[in-house]
Amino acid sequence: MILRIIRRQSAVTIDAARHRWPGRKVWAVFEPRSNTMRRRIFEADLAASLSTADATVLGAVNRANLLGDEERLSPERVLQTIRSAGRKAEGLESAAEIAEFLAAETRPGDLVLVMSNGSFDGLCGKLLGKLQERGAPAGKLNG
């Protein structure tokens, strides 16, 4: 049951964004932070869910050192699965790297969904700052 909920939760979020803002490129930015999402058992469901976005940026597994290799989610495997579905996917270690990457890669009209159960090390503020440095109208919501 938990697997289905997790898979549907991200996919439904992406689908709702597509419905609310049709025609926009959807970027899914995900931080494996919770005790459940940091685990390998959820890799296939996470990859399938994130594959519904046009492009994905996957952050590092939070507190990865607390899980053994056999138990820990592998960002590389998740990214490989997303890419095999024909979608763009990048894995980056820090919020600063993600903000820099997104500021360079996103275009006006793109929609960036930041998904985490924490602060994602201040990613939203960092991204807004980078976009504003580049003259983008970051933070404005045009419905």
Side-chain angles (χ1 to χ4, degrees):
M1 181 68 155
I2 291 174
L3 292 173
R4 288 188 187 129
I5 292 169
I6 289 168
R7 182 174 181 173
R8 290 195 61 203
Q9 203 170 35
S10 297
V12 168
T13 299
I14 293 166
D15 186 54
R18 283 192 192 286
H19 179 73
R20 174 63 178 93
W21 295 284
R24 292 191 181 190
K25 181 176 184 175
V26 176
W27 290 81
V29 184
F30 188 85
E31 179 186 36
R33 182 180 181 93
S34 71
N35 285 328
T36 53
M37 294 312 302
R38 297 181 312 124
R39 298 185 186 285
R40 183 177 186 171
I41 192 168
F42 297 107
E43 278 182 10
D45 288 294
L46 178 61
S49 181
L50 295 176
S51 293
T52 64
D54 297 304
T56 296
V57 178
L58 189 59
V61 176
N62 191 271
R63 301 177 322 273
N65 61 322
L66 299 179
L67 296 170
D69 290 343
E70 70 287 342
E71 192 179 13
R72 184 177 49 244
L73 178 133
S74 167
E76 295 78 21
R77 284 191 297 264
V78 172
L79 295 168
Q80 183 178 27
T81 301
I82 295 168
R83 290 178 188 133
S84 71
R87 303 294 192 185
K88 181 175 184 157
E90 296 293 328
L92 298 166
E93 290 295 314
S94 72
E97 290 174 304
I98 294 170
E100 189 68 40
F101 175 80
L102 288 170
E105 293 293 319
T106 56
R107 299 293 170 252
D110 287 1
L111 181 63
V112 178
L113 299 173
V114 177
M115 296 178 276
S116 174
N117 74 338
S119 72
F120 211 143
D121 193 27
L123 174 61
C124 292
K126 290 173 183 174
L127 177 56
L128 288 173
K130 289 290 181 188
L131 290 170
Q132 289 169 341
E133 284 174 15
R134 297 201 163 119
K140 287 179 80 175
L141 178 62
N142 298 322

